[in-house]
Amino acid sequence: MTRYLFEYELKSTGYKGEFSWVAETEEQAKAAVHERIADLEFADMDDVIVGKLLKTLDATNQYYECEGCSS
C-alpha cells in the first residue's frame, strides 16, 4: 500500500491545504481524499479542488497511532 499526499483548495474561501490517504492506486486515493476533505471542511464536493500529487510514501509495515491511543 502507498500513502498519497495531495494538495487541495476550497473554491469558496481560497483556503489551501494538504491531505493524504493510503490506497492501492493514486486514482483510488484521490477519490477518497476528495470525499474526506469535503466532509472534514463541511463543504460540498463541488467546492473542493484536489490538486497535484505532492509525494508518495510506502505505507507497508508502518504503524499509526491516534493521539488518544498513545497516552
Side-chain angles (χ1 to χ4, degrees), residues 1-69:
M1 295 286 264
T2 304
R3 178 171 292 277
Y4 297 90
L5 177 66
F6 296 95
E7 65 181 9
Y8 73 91
E9 180 178 356
L10 298 179
K11 287 191 268 186
S12 61
T13 63
Y15 176 78
K16 294 181 181 184
E18 297 177 354
F19 201 86
S20 67
W21 197 265
V22 175
E24 297 273 337
T25 67
E26 182 180 342
E27 293 77 26
Q28 290 174 342
K30 195 168 194 172
V33 161
H34 194 187
E35 290 179 26
R36 188 69 176 136
I37 292 169
D39 184 45
L40 290 173
E41 296 286 352
F42 302 105
D44 292 329
M45 293 276 287
D46 295 339
D47 191 31
V48 178
I49 301 169
V50 179
K52 67 180 179 179
L53 178 64
L54 299 175
K55 68 179 172 178
T56 60
L57 301 163
D58 181 20
T60 316
N61 297 325
Q62 290 189 6
Y63 177 74
Y64 295 95
E65 190 172 274
C66 69
E67 234 178 82
C69 298

